[in-house]
Amino acid sequence: MVQCYRGASRAAGAFEPLAFIQQPHTGLRIVSWLFSLVIFGCIANEGYINRPDEVEQFCIFNRNQNACNYAVSMGSLAFLCCMAFLALDAYFPQISSVKERKKAVLADVGTSAFWSFVWFVGFCFLANQWQVAKPEDNPLRSGADAARAAITFSFFSIFTWATQAFLAFQRYKLGADSALFSQDYTDPSQDAGTVPYSSYSAGDALESPGGTRSYQQSGDGVFDGSAGYQRQEY
């Protein structure tokens, strides 16, 4: 079950590393972070090759520089995005504003869906350029494993980011169905301090410390309870 929002009364709680790591979206962010790092490393280190009779290096994907540039750029940006959202997840329990929490979750939904689409485009682009690459451009087949790894992890990244978008949307729905997104929501811990005391009615009977009621009758025949309990002399 996806974990729903914490109430505003717990928003200022201390950071709990174990609970943070056990959250499903946290694990997916770490996995996506690793995938982006692998894609970036594969292309940056082994994505540029040249023929034995050439000096200038070209992209391993059909000598299309746009393919390598796309993989390197998206890999580095996705790496930074994962770091940013991991920091946001760690700070999220301390956000007391309901509107700010709602904005954070909506940003998570949109960003995760965007990156899922980006990696879908990247997977199709890299796979197509790898398929049409000419064998004579890379007779030694150097960097082939790195190219296949970049394509494979681009494919996996589609699903990790799509799952993050799904989990974020579930969190948004659970929050929208609860009182946390209500404009009238008040902190339960502050209710006792804000509720005024009920006024004392003049007709209410006074009780003595022993639990028995005592009255004092005035001269005009009206009972006066202001005297409270009076000791009887024998």
Side-chain angles (χ1 to χ4, degrees), residues 133-186:
K134 300 176 182 179
E136 56 269 19
D137 291 336
N138 187 14
L140 301 178
R141 306 299 295 175
S142 59
D145 292 338
R148 284 190 288 266
I151 295 173
T152 301
F153 285 104
S154 297
F155 178 75
F156 291 156
S157 296
I158 299 173
F159 300 99
T160 57
W161 284 102
T163 307
Q164 289 181 63
F166 174 77
L167 292 179
F169 182 69
Q170 291 295 317
R171 294 172 67 198
Y172 175 77
K173 287 180 61 179
L174 291 174
D177 293 340
S178 66
L180 292 173
F181 282 167
S182 175
Q183 297 297 330
D184 299 330
Y185 176 79
T186 57

